[in-house]
Amino acid sequence: MAPVDRGITMKAWRTIVVLFLICAGVASAAAGGIYVFAAEWGTPGSGPGQFNLSWGLAADRAGNVYVADFYNDRIQKFSSDGALLATWGGYGTGNGQLRHPTGVAVDIAGDVYVADHYNHRIQKFTSSGTFLAKWGSRGTGDGQMTFPYGVGVDSTGHVYVADYYNHRIQKFTSSGTFLAKWGSRGTGDGQFTFPCGVSVDATGNVYVADQYNHRVQKFSSSGTFLAKLGGDGSGDGQMHYPTHVMFNAAGTVLVCDHGNHRIQEYTPSGTLVRTWGTKGSVAGEFSSPTALGFDEAGNLYIADTNNHRVQKFTPVLTVPGAPLVPTDLDGDGRYEDDNGNGRKDFADVVLFFNQMSWIAANEPVAAFDYNGNGRIDFADVVWLFNNL
């Protein structure tokens, strides 16, 4: 009798992988859509494109990504696919030099603001790294800072600084003129214990990652307390040392839950939408993520700090009931390109999986019955993945 092959075939392994990717976080559902892992770049080191803790991160409208490379004392600028475009900084206290930069923000004009953490100041640069301005010195007075951590910019050009060791937020003009401040050390509403990241949404509300209080606080642009999210823990909606907050085009609030190695998403009113990510080093996993940013196309970039890399996630719309725009790429009558982006890729697998019930009820079976069993089911998901 012939021996039985008890090994797992490559096709079976691919089936296991698609189940893992869809269920374990590389494809992560969000309000109105999902984020699918698209790319990563960076390795530990000091060479071009390497990081010694990828700390702060911001993306501009053109899709350029700026990363605060903490122990390399520099800013690195990349294309949306991770090609290195520019580097500036270098250890020191002079104009344009940096000492352990932490936060990065980009205004609507494309100018770049950097929280120069150990120099106790903010520096402003052009998008190519030309020095423009600086403000701040170590201290507790108005306009002074003690280890500023995060920086954010609103649509009118006002700059908000998370003044880490002074447990407050300071507001400036784009040229550094002091305008306002709020906060003091404590656990009450409007108080902080080491505020970390600061970001401004499309309506001008200011969100602060209140790191050692394990929460995010929301304020008006003048500092009036509005709401809070979180609380220490690892459960859904809880946080452990959150470091940054950012918003997608739909207004969804995304939080870097640094100590829990994950991302949490909330509606603008504060309802938890989803928690995704786990500790690790493969695609879609994180080790102490510290910052995130969106480009104009909705791509999400995450500074995966202790993995010394940046991860990019692509949005795929999955609005229940929304019509699909599929394409038959090879003329066989089946729509392999489910999301209509002109190619067959993993985004199509995730879209089909999330919309399978709606497709079965609203679309011709033959157009989506990829494996030919006469119905639309999970076997079609596996077929689509195996035939990418």
Side-chain angles (χ1 to χ4, degrees), residues 51-69:
F51 302 109
N52 192 347
L53 297 184
S54 48
W55 207 275
L57 181 149
D60 65 19
R61 292 186 169 187
N64 299 308
V65 181
Y66 303 82
V67 183
D69 188 2

Side-chain angles (χ1 to χ4, degrees), residues 83-144:
L84 182 64
L85 301 176
T87 301
W88 68 86
Y91 186 84
T93 60
N95 293 344
Q97 293 183 308
L98 302 166
R99 291 203 300 160
H100 305 337
T102 46
V104 189
V106 184
D107 65 19
I108 58 175
D111 292 330
V112 181
Y113 300 80
V114 178
D116 190 2
H117 191 62
Y118 272 66
N119 281 328
H120 313 285
R121 66 186 180 183
I122 301 298
Q123 294 201 68
K124 179 179 179 180
F125 301 89
T126 67
S127 61
S128 59
T130 300
F131 172 81
L132 295 175
K134 65 179 180 184
W135 63 89
S137 60
R138 186 169 189 171
T140 59
D142 293 349
Q144 292 186 306

Side-chain angles (χ1 to χ4, degrees), residues 3-256:
V4 176
D5 181 6
R6 299 186 184 275
I8 299 178
T9 67
M10 181 59 68
K11 186 173 182 179
W13 274 117
R14 287 169 68 85
T15 301
I16 292 168
V17 168
V18 72
L19 281 165
F20 173 79
L21 292 176
I22 290 174
C23 298
V26 174
S28 304
I34 56 176
Y35 294 109
V36 179
F37 174 80
E40 65 176 273
W41 63 87
T43 57
S46 59
Q50 293 185 307
F51 302 109
N52 192 347
L53 297 184
S54 48
W55 207 275
L57 181 149
D60 65 19
R61 292 186 169 187
N64 299 308
V65 181
Y66 303 82
V67 183
D69 188 2
F70 186 78
Y71 280 119
N72 285 327
D73 304 294
R74 65 187 180 184
I75 301 297
Q76 296 196 74
K77 177 183 178 180
F78 300 88
S79 71
S80 62
D81 294 322
L84 182 64
L85 301 176
T87 301
W88 68 86
Y91 186 84
T93 60
N95 293 344
Q97 293 183 308
L98 302 166
R99 291 203 300 160
H100 305 337
T102 46
V104 189
V106 184
D107 65 19
I108 58 175
D111 292 330
V112 181
Y113 300 80
V114 178
D116 190 2
H117 191 62
Y118 272 66
N119 281 328
H120 313 285
R121 66 186 180 183
I122 301 298
Q123 294 201 68
K124 179 179 179 180
F125 301 89
T126 67
S127 61
S128 59
T130 300
F131 172 81
L132 295 175
K134 65 179 180 184
W135 63 89
S137 60
R138 186 169 189 171
T140 59
D142 293 349
Q144 292 186 306
M145 306 167 194
T146 306
F147 298 104
Y149 199 115
V151 58
V153 186
D154 67 20
S155 60
T156 63
H158 294 129
V159 180
Y160 300 80
V161 177
D163 191 0
Y164 195 64
Y165 268 71
N166 286 329
H167 310 284
R168 65 185 180 183
I169 300 299
Q170 295 198 69
K171 180 179 179 179
F172 301 88
T173 67
S174 61
S175 58
T177 301
F178 173 82
L179 296 175
K181 64 182 179 184
W182 66 86
S184 60
R185 185 166 190 171
T187 60
D189 293 346
Q191 292 185 305
F192 304 107
T193 306
F194 300 109
C196 197
V198 57
S199 300
V200 188
D201 69 15
T203 60
N205 297 309
V206 181
Y207 289 74
V208 180
D210 188 6
Q211 190 179 32
Y212 277 71
N213 284 328
H214 310 286
R215 65 185 180 184
V216 168
Q217 295 196 68
K218 178 182 178 181
F219 301 88
S220 71
S221 60
S222 58
T224 301
F225 172 81
L226 299 175
K228 60 186 175 184
L229 309 168
D232 191 20
S234 58
D236 289 348
Q238 293 182 309
M239 304 174 190
H240 196 55
Y241 302 108
T243 50
H244 199 221
V245 188
M246 196 50 70
F247 324 93
N248 66 17
T252 303
V253 181
L254 285 83
V255 179
C256 260

